Amino acid sequence: MINTIINYIADNLINEPLDDDLEPEDDLLGSGIVDSMGMMRLIAFIENEYDLKVAPDEMVIENFMTVENIVEYITTKNKQQ
Amino acid sequence: MFIYTLHHLLENSAEKHPQSIAFRYLSEQISYQELNEKSDQIAHQLRLLNIKKGDRVGIYMPRCLHTVISVYGILKAGAAYVPLDPFSPISRTAFVVNDCNLEVVLTTKKQTKKIEKIALESPVLKSIVGIEESSTLQNVSWESVFKLSTDNFESENVLDDDIAYILYTSGSTGTPKGIVHTHRSGLQFVKLTTSLYNISNTDVIAMHAPLHFDPSTLGIFSAIYAGSTTVIVSDAETKMPKSLATLISDKKITIWFSVPLALIQLLRNGLVTKENGDSLRWVLFSGEVFITKYLKEVMQIWTQAKFSNIYGPTELNQCTYYNLETPPVNNDPIPIGYVWDNSEFKIIDANDKEVASGNIGELVVRSSTMMKGYWNNKQLTQKSFFIQEVVPGIPQVFYRTGDQVKLNDKGELLYLGRNDRQVKIRGYRIEIDEVENTINNHPNVVEAAVIVVQTNNENSLVAFVVAQNKSNLNSSELISFSKKHLPIYAVPNEVIILDDFPRTSSGKISRKQLKSTLISD
């Protein structure tokens, strides 16, 4: 899951080539790696890929700051379903 | 005290209410007194780095408290601040550093690698404040700046006609242009907004715009004049709708100011609610047209707030406003309204003659909030002004907005579009020619044509490109090339490679036909 998300971000959403590879703990939101339209695309990708619906109340920094956070969010969400 | 510069605003308010909170950012905060002292320390440091009155100093950092301390520190040193978008490509930032000759840039530790790259392309850059080590650059840490003594510190003798800040925006030649504002034009904006929205020391203002975007001056300067608190919205909060909605309620925002899109994103996710808008007194928006049906929906929920449609290119700060206390009755576009105090306007035709009342023409505005000109670009500055002489040698200067307007029968101005190739995407101003010229600079591109398409009421860019024979140029290569040279909002969403362009009978690229190929797909 980590690699699928990292690859999607790296191939579709990154603004400028990074010096190093994207790491699971890199800050996606504060660093400018992904912009606000990019975040909306990433959410759509996750909904599609993992067959879930991100509720508006779940669109918070804590769930989407890093790829690690995203994976944790998806895992918890899947357990609930 | 007699206030005639932007840093006088802080010095005056720090004396009146030293312990009030000037800025909040996430869980951090800074009082007026602390802001005043720390900005003195920055000014002192800048003098040690040989910054003199009239110089320019860059601010290269994501949103944080250091941005505003830096703004006031630079002004107190008698210099002008130049915000550098931390998310802009290196080559574009290096261009700005060279264009206005920035010898010193204030930054944060996390930007170290990027600033080293910029320095490789910018030989003018001598010292960096805010990083801790660098093999190539002279540097000073924030820690040592905030240990400096400010005993006997006195601000420079700055006049209100001196340059206070330069904001860079898209230029049609393919490189950004710097819009120069003085302490006077900035201060007039402060006084006019404070009176128009009745800003006071009980207000909490949300600053959604980044530093390089002119609406930031409301939170940075007007709030300080009024003695209120500004909440700097973090980059992360601007990207996560629920976090942004929480900020509005938790921080008890009374004045909200953003591009319409930020509110539309909240609305679409059901995050505009009675509860979270409880404390809002004013909702201000600018940068692009707020689609009336969405505006109505927001206003029907946040009923206690007044709304204001603010219009004005960065060259004028703000210049017109249209206030609404109740939702619009139909879905017609709302007017841009009336020019504010200490301003006048004309609507002129292609021959610079005033049009008859009710007819369409270009809006030209004369205002105390107008820029001084474009940095180091006399030709463009002259071209952008409409000059009327009272008597020979005594000019009255109007700024040509390039916007088509007309007056309705109530005497309100209606915005009807551009008369050139400038577009707004997510509130950011983009010259289509800049995007085309950038793509044309790719060695394997023969010619490029960029068009604007609208999907779900939002603009996006599509580039059509004719490539050199056998170059195997593909669209992803051109997208990454654009990302290296253009800010992200100006990068085309799609690049389509063609063998040749459809042409009009006179041989020009037929943009109409290009557009129709997209629609028929």
Side-chain angles (χ1 to χ4, degrees):
Chain A
M1 195 187 284
I2 287 190
N3 286 335
T4 316
I5 298 173
I6 286 186
N7 288 341
Y8 177 78
I9 297 172
D11 294 345
N12 299 285
L13 304 179
I14 285 186
N15 294 342
E16 210 186 346
L18 298 172
D19 289 329
D20 312 300
D21 285 343
L22 186 60
E23 299 293 338
E25 63 279 5
D26 283 347
D27 179 356
L28 302 172
L29 298 170
S31 62
I33 293 178
V34 178
D35 67 2
S36 60
M37 294 316 260
M39 268 332 282
M40 294 302 123
R41 285 173 65 193
L42 181 60
I43 289 175
F45 170 78
I46 289 165
E47 291 186 329
N48 205 16
E49 185 78 17
Y50 301 103
D51 195 24
L52 52 85
K53 179 93 191 83
V54 179
D57 278 348
E58 295 163 353
M59 292 180 187
V60 293
I61 297 167
E62 297 73 23
N63 288 341
F64 289 92
M65 193 161 90
T66 66
V67 173
E68 227 166 38
N69 295 148
I70 296 173
V71 169
E72 208 178 286
Y73 162 73
I74 297 172
T75 319
T76 327
K77 180 109 179 148
N78 279 341
K79 272 187 207 152
Q80 289 163 0
Q81 279 177 353
Chain B
M1 93 183 258
F2 182 46
I3 295 173
Y4 59 90
T5 68
L6 290 169
H7 50 280
H8 286 159
L9 298 172
L10 173 61
E11 288 161 356
N12 180 58
S13 287
E15 209 176 282
K16 280 192 193 153
H17 27 78
Q19 298 317 320
S20 299
I21 301 303
F23 290 94
R24 288 185 197 282
Y25 172 76
L26 300 175
S27 58
E28 303 166 43
Q29 59 183 51
I30 187 166
S31 70
Y32 276 82
Q33 185 179 353
E34 208 184 338
L35 179 63
N36 198 31
E37 285 167 4
K38 286 193 162 172
S39 51
D40 280 353
Q41 287 172 312
I42 292 180
H44 186 177
Q45 178 65 59
L46 291 173
R47 273 186 203 158
L48 297 176
L49 292 171
N50 210 20
I51 289 295
K52 296 177 298 294
K53 182 181 159 179
D55 287 347
R56 276 102 15 228
V57 176
I59 303 178
Y60 187 63
M61 41 182 117
R63 300 156 204 243
C64 60
L65 287 183
H66 280 83
T67 56
V68 287
I69 313 171
S70 300
V71 164
Y72 282 103
I74 293 167
L75 295 176
K76 284 176 175 179
Y81 76 88
V82 182
L84 302 167
D85 178 1
F87 307 132
S88 217
I90 300 292
S91 64
R92 193 179 168 92
T93 308
F95 171 86
V96 175
V97 171
N98 294 330
D99 190 53
C100 61
N101 207 0
L102 301 180
E103 291 185 4
V104 178
V105 168
L106 311 182
T107 189
T108 52
K109 214 164 91 184
K110 278 194 175 163
Q111 314 295 317
T112 309
K113 270 189 184 168
K114 285 204 268 182
I115 201 89
E116 281 177 343
K117 282 193 201 162
I118 293 167
L120 289 178
E121 294 179 38
S122 307
V124 292
L125 195 53
K126 285 188 188 144
S127 325
I128 308 296
V129 176
I131 60 178
E132 275 157 32
E133 51 183 60
S134 167
S135 47
T136 50
L137 292 163
Q138 186 193 334
N139 58 83
V140 185
S141 73
W142 282 119
E143 208 188 344
S144 65
V145 174
F146 295 135
K147 278 183 191 154
L148 288 173
S149 155
T150 54
D151 295 348
N152 310 319
F153 177 83
E154 273 188 43
S155 295
E156 278 294 321
N157 175 27
V158 177
L159 313 191
D160 70 352
D161 191 41
D162 287 332
I163 300 175
Y165 54 95
I166 305 177
L167 301 178
Y168 275 80
T169 179
S170 182
S172 56
T173 53
T175 50
K177 58 186 180 204
I179 296 167
V180 176
H181 275 287
T182 60
H183 285 268
R184 183 192 298 148
S185 60
L187 201 56
Q188 287 299 316
F189 169 82
V190 166
K191 291 187 174 168
L192 285 163
T193 42
T194 311
S195 116
L196 186 54
Y197 303 113
N198 199 12
I199 307 176
S200 77
N201 61 3
T202 55
D203 276 309
V204 182
I205 299 177
M207 176 172 145
H208 185 272
L211 199 64
H212 60 278
F213 200 20
D214 70 307
S216 63
T217 53
L218 185 88
I220 300 175
F221 299 121
S222 305
I224 295 301
Y225 178 50
S228 44
T229 300
T230 293
V231 175
I232 301 173
V233 180
S234 71
D235 287 301
E237 282 159 331
T238 63
K239 293 169 193 168
M240 297 315 299
K242 175 66 182 177
S243 301
L244 192 60
T246 307
L247 173 136
I248 299 174
S249 52
D250 282 6
K251 296 283 197 320
K252 301 198 165 41
I253 302 297
T254 63
I255 302 179
W256 174 264
F257 189 13
S258 75
V259 289
L261 184 66
L263 293 170
I264 292 173
Q265 275 189 355
L266 292 184
L267 183 73
R268 280 184 184 162
N269 288 302
L271 295 167
V272 173
T273 62
K274 276 239 163 309
E275 297 70 44
N276 68 13
D278 213 22
S279 49
L280 286 169
R281 205 165 67 71
W282 272 108
V283 176
L284 318 179
F285 53 91
S286 72
E288 57 190 343
V289 177
F290 203 143
I291 310 282
T292 309
K293 63 172 182 184
Y294 296 133
L295 174 63
K296 247 160 85 174
E297 281 187 56
V298 177
M299 289 192 72
Q300 279 157 359
I301 303 169
W302 286 346
T303 46
Q304 83 294 353
K306 286 188 269 192
F307 285 64
S308 186
N309 182 20
I310 293 178
Y311 161 86
T314 307
E315 286 85 345
L316 289 166
N317 277 302
Q318 174 177 354
C319 66
T320 77
Y321 63 95
Y322 183 75
N323 295 348
L324 300 107
E325 297 196 13
T326 49
V329 277
N330 54 33
N331 280 342
D332 293 346
I334 56 165
I336 54 172
Y338 313 95
V339 289
W340 63 358
D341 290 345
N342 210 353
S343 304
E344 62 176 337
F345 72 96
K346 291 176 191 295
I347 303 175
I348 59 171
D349 63 18
N351 299 315
D352 283 354
K353 296 279 175 287
E354 273 191 78
V355 301
S357 184
N359 285 4
I360 299 172
E362 183 188 4
L363 178 67
V364 298
V365 178
R366 177 171 167 238
S367 171
S368 60
T369 57
M370 190 174 78
M371 67 165 179
K372 193 91 173 157
Y374 296 106
W375 179 257
N376 202 14
N377 199 333
K378 194 173 167 186
Q379 221 184 349
L380 188 62
T381 302
Q382 282 171 344
K383 225 177 98 187
S384 73
F385 289 147
F386 167 82
I387 293 171
Q388 173 177 285
E389 286 192 312
V390 185
V391 288
I394 307 289
Q396 289 183 335
V397 184
F398 290 70
Y399 172 69
R400 297 175 187 271
T401 64
D403 287 325
Q404 296 288 313
V405 298
K406 71 169 185 184
L407 278 174
N408 66 12
D409 47 15
K410 292 183 199 151
E412 299 159 345
L413 285 163
L414 301 178
Y415 172 81
L416 301 166
R418 296 286 303 170
N419 59 359
D420 58 12
R421 307 224 300 138
Q422 190 185 97
V423 289
K424 287 280 181 107
I425 292 186
R426 285 179 265 151
Y428 289 102
R429 196 167 124 173
I430 298 163
E431 298 283 350
I432 293 186
D433 291 333
E434 176 176 23
V435 183
E436 272 179 15
N437 286 327
T438 301
I439 299 175
N440 279 329
N441 284 338
H442 189 285
N444 294 329
V445 167
V446 177
E447 204 173 0
V450 174
I451 60 164
V452 186
V453 288
Q454 275 212 325
T455 34
N456 301 330
N457 294 317
E458 274 166 29
N459 285 334
S460 63
L461 300 177
V462 177
F464 291 89
V465 171
V466 173
Q468 262 169 359
N469 268 343
K470 296 178 187 138
S471 61
N472 288 331
L473 185 64
N474 59 34
S475 51
S476 60
E477 154 69 18
L478 281 172
I479 294 219
S480 34
F481 180 79
S482 304
K483 283 180 178 175
K484 270 185 215 142
H485 299 281
L486 292 168
I488 189 65
Y489 47 83
V491 173
N493 281 39
E494 200 183 344
V495 176
I496 298 170
I497 313 251
L498 300 174
D499 293 333
D500 202 0
F501 285 124
R503 306 257 171 196
T504 64
S505 55
S506 60
K508 285 185 190 161
I509 298 174
S510 169
R511 289 165 201 277
K512 244 190 206 162
Q513 235 175 301
L514 286 176
K515 207 166 184 171
S516 65
T517 60
L518 287 173
I519 293 157
S520 60
D521 275 354

